[in-house]
Amino acid sequence: MSMKKKWPKIIIITGIASFAVVFSLGLLLPNLRTTTTGIQVDINNPALIKRGEYIARTGDCVACHTTLDGEKFAGGLPMLTPLGAVYSTNITPDKETGIGNYTFDDFNNATKHGVRKDKSALYPAMPYPSYQIMPDEDVAAMYAYFMSGVKAVKQENKPSELPPVLNWRWPLAYWQAIFAPARDFIPETQDAVLARGQYLVEGPGHCGSCHTERGVGFQELTLTNASDSFLSGAVIDGWRAKSLRGEHRGLGTWKTEELVDFFKTGRTDITAAFGAMAEVVEHSTQYMTDADLYAMSAYLKTLTPKPGEAMILPVKKDITTQKLLDGVYDSRGALLYVEYCTVCHRADGQGVPRIFPALDGNSAVYSNDADSVLQITLSGGRMPHTPHDRMAFTMPEFINLSDADIAEVVNYIRNSWTNQASKITVDDVVAMRVFLAKKPKTGTDIAPDLSIDSAAKGAGK
C-alpha cells in the first residue's frame, strides 16, 4: 500500500535531472502552445458573469485555489508531490499579485494550455490537459466571472518547494508536448445526454486528475475512455480515489439515481463523500443543474469494468453481526470495533441511512487499497455541507490509538460481515501517520476532537 505513485524517488530524480541536463543545451526545445482567439469579452455583462460562475463551479476552481480560512481564490494551498509541495496561485483580479492584468487570451492560454502571461509553463498540478477541450466561449464566460465577479485579494504567490533543477519551468515544454498534446473533445456517442456527461467528466470536471492512475512523469495514463485505465482508480493526497468504472469495487452496484443523489447531496443511504470528494460536492457538484448531474451519472454508468475485476464479489455469509450481538468478541479488532465504532455504525455494519455510512458492502471500505479507510480512521473527517440534509455529520479522529490497534480495527472492518479485502500492516499505519503530519488540513478534514484532554479543557471554560 502506498500514498503515492510507486516509483522509487531516485529513479524519478535521476530521470528528470538527466532529462534537464540533456536539453540544457537548448536542443530541440518545443514551443509552448498558445492561441490568439480574437474574442472580445464584455466582462461587465451580468449574464456572462453568471454563466462564468457556473462554469467555474463545474471546474471546481475554488477547491484548489482557496486555503482553509483563506480568501476565496487567493491561492496558497499546497499540493503535495513526492518531490515537494507546489502551491496554487492567486487567481483573483488583483493587478499586482493575481490575474488582474491578464487579457482574455492570457487567461485562455493559462486555463487550456498551461502557459502563464509571462510565457512560462505552469506545473501540471493545474489540470489544463483536461480543460483543453473546453470551448473558448466557456472560458470567456469564466474570464468575465473572475475579472468582475470575484473580489480582488492582494496576496503574493508562494514559490514551489521542488528542489533546484526540478523546479525549472522550461523543461515542462517537453512534458506538455509529450503528455498534453493538442486535442479536441470527441463524443463517444450521438446521444446528447451521454455526450454532455462525457464532456463534463473528461473536461471541466477533470475527474481523471484524481481517479486515473499516474505514470512516471506524473501524467494521467489516459485522458479519455480510449483506454480502460481511464477512471480506474488512483491514490492522491493519501485518499484512494475509487474506480468509477463498472466493476463491483467501482460503480458496478450503483444506480444512476444514486450517483445523482451523491453528487447533489454528498451522501446516499449507504455511503457519504469524505476527503477530497467531500470538497468536490461542497464546492462544485451540489451547484450543478439536475440535467448536468444526470448526464454525468448516466455517462459514468456506461464505463465497462476495470480489466481483471469482477462485477460482483463472491458470496460471503455474515457471521459478524450475531457474534457482536451475542458479546462474542473473538479478536482485538472486534473489541476495538465495539468500543469505538458500534455506536454509529451498528453491530450489523449498516450504520444509519444518510447519517452514519454503512461499513458492510461499502466499496470504499473494501477497496483494493486501504488508504482511505486508514486516513479517515486516523484523522477523521466531515461530510460536505449542502442544503439537502439538515446536518453535516463528522467522524472523530482516532489518531491516539496505537499503530497496532489501528491496523487491527481497520482489518476487522474490511473483512467482517460480507466484506472481503486485503490486510494492512503496522508499517502501513506508520507510513500514513508520517504522511498526515505533512498534509495541510482542509475544511472537510476537520473533525471534532473527542480526546479526554479536549473534554477537560471544554469543561473548564
Side-chain angles (χ1 to χ4, degrees), residues 418-447:
T418 62
N419 291 344
Q420 303 166 61
S422 60
K423 292 191 175 183
I424 65 168
T425 67
V426 170
D427 289 343
D428 295 324
V429 182
V430 172
M432 181 60 80
R433 285 191 195 273
V434 171
F435 174 81
L436 290 175
K438 301 175 182 177
K439 182 185 175 185
K441 286 285 188 180
T442 66
T444 52
D445 285 329
I446 302 302

Side-chain angles (χ1 to χ4, degrees), residues 130-429:
S130 297
Y131 292 162
Q132 186 178 168
I133 66 171
M134 295 175 66
D136 291 344
E137 293 74 17
D138 280 8
V139 181
M142 281 209 306
Y143 178 71
Y145 169 63
F146 278 104
M147 290 296 122
S148 300
V150 171
K151 183 181 78 171
V153 178
K154 187 173 183 179
Q155 178 174 298
E156 295 288 345
N157 292 316
K158 295 182 178 181
S160 80
E161 296 177 0
L162 299 176
V165 178
L166 298 180
N167 63 358
W168 293 351
R169 289 183 181 270
W170 64 262
L172 291 172
Y174 297 101
W175 190 96
Q176 292 185 1
I178 297 170
F179 300 126
R183 69 189 185 99
D184 296 313
F185 175 61
I186 302 175
E188 298 172 17
T189 174
Q190 297 299 312
D191 185 297
V193 172
L194 294 179
R196 173 66 177 172
Q198 178 195 344
Y199 165 75
L200 290 167
V201 166
E202 195 178 302
H206 60 283
C207 302
S209 293
C210 291
H211 291 273
T212 297
E213 194 70 64
R214 300 270 174 166
V216 67
F218 301 108
Q219 82 286 4
E220 294 170 48
L221 292 180
T222 181
L223 296 169
T224 71
N225 195 33
S227 167
D228 48 27
S229 61
F230 182 58
L231 303 181
S232 61
V235 175
I236 184 168
D237 288 338
W239 298 109
R240 175 65 186 180
K242 68 179 292 173
S243 169
L244 302 182
R245 302 190 69 86
E247 68 275 11
H248 195 279
R249 297 180 195 273
L251 299 180
T253 61
W254 289 62
K255 297 176 181 177
T256 302
E257 294 73 19
E258 290 175 319
L259 280 171
V260 172
D261 189 24
F262 181 80
F263 286 136
K264 193 174 189 66
T265 71
R267 62 185 89 171
T268 68
D269 286 350
I270 295 175
T271 193
F274 55 85
M277 192 62 209
E279 294 183 61
V280 171
V281 173
E282 186 160 297
H283 299 304
S284 177
T285 57
Q286 70 160 310
Y287 297 98
M288 294 172 66
T289 65
D290 289 344
D292 277 351
L293 293 178
Y294 180 82
M296 280 201 310
S297 303
Y299 171 70
L300 289 173
K301 287 297 294 180
T302 69
L303 300 181
T304 57
K306 181 180 178 180
E309 290 284 343
M311 292 195 66
I312 59 172
L313 289 178
V315 176
K316 177 186 174 184
K317 182 180 178 181
D318 171 19
I319 60 173
T320 303
T321 301
Q322 196 59 49
K323 282 185 176 182
L324 294 182
L325 292 175
D326 292 342
V328 179
Y329 312 138
D330 53 5
S331 69
R332 177 68 177 166
L335 282 168
L336 292 164
Y337 181 80
V338 169
E339 182 172 0
Y340 294 105
C341 311
T342 52
V343 67
C344 294
H345 299 287
R346 305 304 196 233
D348 61 4
Q350 294 301 313
V352 178
R354 302 192 72 81
I355 298 177
F356 303 124
L359 300 179
D360 180 33
N362 186 333
S363 58
V365 171
Y366 61 76
S367 166
N368 287 333
D369 192 303
D371 278 0
S372 290
V373 180
L374 187 51
Q375 181 169 176
I376 201 167
T377 301
L378 284 168
S379 63
R382 173 179 61 77
M383 293 179 183
H385 283 297
T386 76
H388 307 288
D389 290 281
R390 186 180 294 272
M391 297 177 65
F393 293 91
T394 60
M395 175 171 167
E397 61 181 21
F398 294 102
I399 200 163
N400 291 329
L401 291 180
S402 70
D403 296 336
D405 279 354
I406 291 290
E408 287 281 355
V409 74
V410 167
N411 284 330
Y412 179 81
I413 290 167
R414 281 168 50 82
N415 289 281
S416 291
W417 308 287
T418 62
N419 291 344
Q420 303 166 61
S422 60
K423 292 191 175 183
I424 65 168
T425 67
V426 170
D427 289 343
D428 295 324
V429 182

